[in-house]
Amino acid sequence: MTASSFFHRIPRALWFSGLDGLGILAWGILLLTYSFRGELQLLIHPNYFGLVTITGLILVLLGGSRLALSLKRGLRRSPGTEANDSVTHLTLLPLGVGSGLLLLTALLGLAIPPTVFTSQMALQRGISNTLPATQLEAASFVSQVKPEERSLVDWIRTLNSYPEPDAYQGQKAKVQGFVVYSPDLPNNYLLISRFILTCCAVDAYPVGLPVKLPGDRQQYPQDSWLEIEGTMATETLPLHHQTGETTQEKKRQLVLVADAVKPIPTPADPYSY
């Protein structure tokens, strides 16, 4: 039997069944690829890594089984049995379109790797120095971490628990994050920021603190990562400078006055949780 005669013998319904299996198999491979490449941390919270890996394995098994079954049925069929494969389906899309889209999106996911969110995304979503209402708030303010040992997110949580900037004046700080320029701040200020994931990249939100530099911020490009050591102070700055929207309204805020600024590589796990 030649290859052309083999494909000619496979009924149309089995082609679509094979396409279904191929789409499921491709999604299983995509999830496993993200898992083994360590790219899941750019997409979802670590709590779900195991679930995604297991789901990928199951999809590979299901897709491979369905694909093999379609090929096996195709080999057993004889010409002229197309009518016997007719099955009534109620679908919104023509037969095969849904499976084709499933396969296409999986292939695009394999071809285009996930990337870290940028400063532009942070400005679009609005950088805040407070946590959203979905985050649990502490019933009382008790900090067990020394100021100089707090991460950027620790500082945000501390502010969220006790939002009085003057209470932190003079405290030492050493934080890491990526650079965002705010159009409402002078050129010797930047925002040191990080994204926080609660579930997946779709609901990631940026937090950050203003940093007062000894020189011009242009020497630290946007999206570059910095480790900044300095002292906390309070200054009156534009209230909504984090969103990139111009405003005349100002508010007293906590500012990190930089004593030392060191460029660092982008962390393997750039998000906080």
Side-chain angles (χ1 to χ4, degrees), residues 53 59 94 99 110 116 119 132 140-141 143 151 166 169 177 201 227 261:
T53 303
L59 290 179
S99 300
L110 288 169
V116 181
S119 58
S140 61
F141 176 67
S143 177
S151 67
D166 290 331
Q169 277 202 87
E227 180 180 272
V261 181

Side-chain angles (χ1 to χ4, degrees), residues 195-212:
F195 277 95
I196 295 179
L197 261 66
T198 55
C199 179
C200 63
V202 174
D203 60 23
Y205 57 92
V207 296
L209 288 174
V211 176
K212 187 175 184 179

Side-chain angles (χ1 to χ4, degrees), residues 127-129 152 156 159 175 180 182 185 188-193 207-213 228 231-233 235 237-238 241-242 253-258:
I127 303 172
S128 173
N129 61 3
L152 178 61
I156 298 299
L159 267 175
V175 297
V180 178
S182 169
L185 292 177
N188 61 327
Y189 286 82
L190 57 78
L191 294 173
I192 190 76
S193 308
V207 296
L209 288 174
V211 176
K212 187 175 184 179
L213 301 167
I228 301 176
T231 306
M232 290 299 186
E235 293 189 11
L237 297 172
H241 65 270
Q242 296 96 338
Q253 300 178 43
L254 190 65
V255 176
L256 176 57
V257 181

Side-chain angles (χ1 to χ4, degrees), residues 70-90:
S70 299
L71 291 173
K72 186 177 180 181
R73 286 178 176 174
L75 288 171
R76 290 178 177 176
R77 296 283 173 155
S78 59
T81 58
E82 180 76 22
N84 295 331
D85 296 316
S86 298
V87 178
T88 301
H89 293 285
L90 183 60

Side-chain angles (χ1 to χ4, degrees), residues 96-161:
V97 173
S99 300
L101 290 175
L102 191 69
L103 178 60
L104 178 62
T105 52
L107 294 177
L108 288 175
L110 288 169
I112 306 172
T115 58
V116 181
F117 284 152
T118 65
S119 58
Q120 187 63 33
M121 178 65 74
L123 288 172
Q124 288 175 357
R125 296 193 177 188
I127 303 172
S128 173
N129 61 3
T130 59
L131 298 174
T134 54
Q135 293 285 301
L136 294 177
E137 295 185 13
S140 61
F141 176 67
V142 179
S143 177
Q144 302 294 336
V145 182
K146 294 179 180 178
E148 58 271 25
E149 295 178 353
R150 292 175 188 153
S151 67
L152 178 61
V153 176
D154 287 336
W155 275 105
I156 298 299
R157 291 193 172 115
T158 302
L159 267 175
N160 201 68
S161 299

Side-chain angles (χ1 to χ4, degrees), residues 163-187:
E164 176 47 64
D166 290 331
Y168 312 105
Q169 277 202 87
Q171 293 187 2
K172 295 293 183 182
K174 181 180 179 181
V175 297
Q176 296 180 345
F178 66 94
V179 175
V180 178
Y181 292 168
S182 169
D184 288 333
L185 292 177
N187 287 336

